[in-house]
Amino acid sequence: MIGAGRENAVQYDAIIVGGSFAGLSAALYLGRARRSVCVLDTRMPRNRFADASHGQFAQDGNDPQAMLATMRAQVAAYPTVHFVETQAVDAARDREAFAVALANSNVVRGTAILLAFGIIDILPDLPGLAERWGRSVIHCPYCHGYEFSDRRLGVLNLSPMSVHQAMLIPQWGPTTFFLNGGTIDPETTAQLERRGVAIEPALVRGLVGEGVHLSAIQLAGGREQPLDALYIGPPYRFSSDLAERLGCAIEDGMLGPTLTVDEMKATDIGGVYAAGDITRTGHTVSFACADGVMAALAIHRLLIFGAPT
Ligand SMILES: Cc1cc2nc3c(=O)[nH]c(=O)nc-3n(C[C@H](O)[C@H](O)[C@H](O)COP(=O)(O)OP(=O)(O)OC[C@H]3O[C@@H](n4cnc5c(N)ncnc54)[C@H](O)[C@@H]3O)c2cc1C
């Protein structure tokens, strides 16, 4: 049992696992509601590879790490919010509350728990790709596409979702779809051609360029095609197994898992809420922040009215 012999551990109104866009937004609302909150965080937000975040008002183009530093400072101004920079490694219901075991061997307790631990992208093992992730190898045109307007763009075929990506990208510039040895049916080929997409069937061997910049994609047979940005839609997994440990329902999607939540961000386990990328398929900072706010409102209601019947 988590925390056996530590029955005197401080009990918070809420434990938040993950102190990034979703978790900090929830902490801000709960702090303003004068609730005691413990934010556990390992400081590994998903977009830490990018030097600029786009698409959020008042923050468009800002460094995501600087955004989070400002958010942490603003949340820290509320005296009932406590931060612990460590990993949550286990969680279980403990009488009327939840006990969360930490990597530093401590245990914290909370009446409610909010899972906001984000996801991990599983990048293809291609020479030159990982070091350009978030800079010239990108996944989201709304986040980073504008900066590559009218440049030479590519989409790497990784899954059936890659065709969808290849249909979108010509909006931002001339696009090649790199099949990488895969195949597509004649109808899809015709749709892509109507969008002006060039189709390259060869296997992809690697990426080259100066530093984080991309200048060309290397193809089987020694050919190189000049390229400024490569789009990929990688599969992903949860950053933590806490949802499984708590017994929450999880759905399998085309690229990765999604935690099942209702419109108030409640999971199917009473007292367990979830927010951010782990709860949705559209992954943006704005959605994560909105999720955190909604979860905070739901937790505050739970603390006043108890669980809905
Ligand atoms: C390369 C890249 C660029 C992006 N650019 C943009 C952009 O320009 N605009 C935009 O809107 N979106 C962008 N995104 C998407 C954006 O990063 C996510 O939608 C957003 O970070 C989700 O926020 P979150 O709070 O759900 O999770 P995250 O930001 O991933 O935060 C999860 C937090 O939980 C912590 N954590 C994980 N496990 C534990 C644990 N067991 N215990 C304690 N803490 C834990 C992590 O360290 C992390 O701090 C980008 C994504 C990528 C990959």
Side-chain angles (χ1 to χ4, degrees), residues 60 73 111 123 135 146 153 219 235 243:
D60 192 41
T111 307
L123 301 180
R135 303 300 295 272
Y146 190 85
L153 308 176
L219 303 169

Side-chain angles (χ1 to χ4, degrees), residues 92-114:
R93 190 178 285 284
D94 176 17
R95 286 159 285 161
E96 295 303 300
F98 293 92
V100 180
L102 311 184
N104 65 11
S105 302
N106 286 338
V107 171
V108 287
R109 285 194 168 74
T111 307
I113 182 166
L114 172 61

Side-chain angles (χ1 to χ4, degrees), residues 16-24 40-50 52-56 68 86-89 116-119 121 133-135 137-140 142-144 239-242 275-278 282-289:
I16 299 179
V17 182
S20 180
F21 300 100
L24 288 174
L40 308 170
D41 189 38
T42 47
R43 303 265 176 112
M44 305 263 276
R46 185 180 172 208
N47 59 356
R48 65 190 179 281
F49 306 95
S53 175
H54 293 99
Q56 198 185 26
L68 285 168
T86 192
Q87 186 187 18
V89 293
F117 47 68
I119 60 175
D121 297 286
W133 175 234
R135 303 300 295 272
V137 176
I138 52 184
H139 73 301
C140 169
Y142 308 102
C143 300
H144 304 288
S239 301
S240 159
D241 65 359
L242 283 197
D277 281 2
I278 57 173
H283 298 151
T284 73
V285 165
S286 306
F287 283 150
C289 291

Side-chain angles (χ1 to χ4, degrees), residues 113-165:
I113 182 166
L114 172 61
L115 305 177
F117 47 68
I119 60 175
I120 292 176
D121 297 286
I122 304 165
L123 301 180
D125 187 14
L126 198 61
L129 186 142
E131 56 267 41
R132 296 187 172 84
W133 175 234
R135 303 300 295 272
S136 53
V137 176
I138 52 184
H139 73 301
C140 169
Y142 308 102
C143 300
H144 304 288
Y146 190 85
E147 284 62 43
F148 287 102
S149 291
D150 300 322
R151 307 282 293 278
R152 298 162 301 187
L153 308 176
V155 176
L156 183 62
N157 185 25
L158 291 181
S159 76
M161 286 299 288
S162 302
V163 170
H164 175 76
Q165 210 174 23

